[in-house]
Amino acid sequence: VGKIGGVYLAIPAAIIIGREIAISGLREWMAEIGKRAHVAVGQLGKIKTAMQMLALLLLLFYQPETGYFFMVIKVLGLISLYLAAALTLWSLFIYLKAAWSDLTSSVNKE
């Protein structure tokens, strides 16, 4: 993505990818114990996904060294990416809160 800088993209990307892996595993485990509905996709997840797609579109559209308009595109893309990462952490918290009693009771049984 040009000269945006690797670390500014890597941190939110790692947050988003890590959450996706964690929630996929949580959903599979909850389905195994018959409680998948506790971690069903909600409205926040849909907003998060839309924000991720917007960030991706803007960052792919960005062309370095082509003027002010593209600088605005870059900034909007980075803002969208960081908003998506924040929504990602928020939704992770909501999913973990919904599954917490099942997670802790499973640990206590072992």
Side-chain angles (χ1 to χ4, degrees):
V1 183
K3 296 180 181 180
I4 288 179
V7 72
Y8 297 114
L9 295 174
I11 291 171
I15 289 170
I16 292 168
I17 292 168
R19 180 256 185 214
E20 294 301 325
I21 292 169
I23 295 304
S24 293
L26 178 64
R27 281 194 182 122
E28 289 300 316
W29 180 74
M30 293 294 281
E32 189 175 301
I33 63 170
K35 296 187 178 183
R36 185 174 176 102
H38 290 217
V39 289
V41 175
Q43 189 66 26
L44 179 62
K46 293 175 183 181
I47 294 168
K48 174 196 70 71
T49 300
M51 190 61 62
Q52 285 175 238
M53 290 181 186
L54 175 64
L56 186 60
L57 178 71
L58 291 171
L59 291 172
L60 286 174
F61 188 66
Y62 167 67
Q63 296 177 17
E65 301 168 9
T66 54
Y68 179 76
F69 173 74
F70 285 101
M71 182 59 73
V72 172
I73 294 294
K74 176 179 90 169
V75 170
L76 290 175
L78 286 173
I79 290 170
S80 299
L81 183 62
Y82 277 86
L83 285 173
L87 291 172
T88 294
L89 291 174
W90 185 12
S91 68
L92 174 65
F93 173 76
I94 290 171
Y95 283 122
L96 290 176
K97 183 178 171 187
W100 190 254
S101 63
D102 296 311
L103 288 169
T104 56
S105 67
S106 174
V107 170
N108 291 335
K109 289 179 183 178
E110 292 179 1

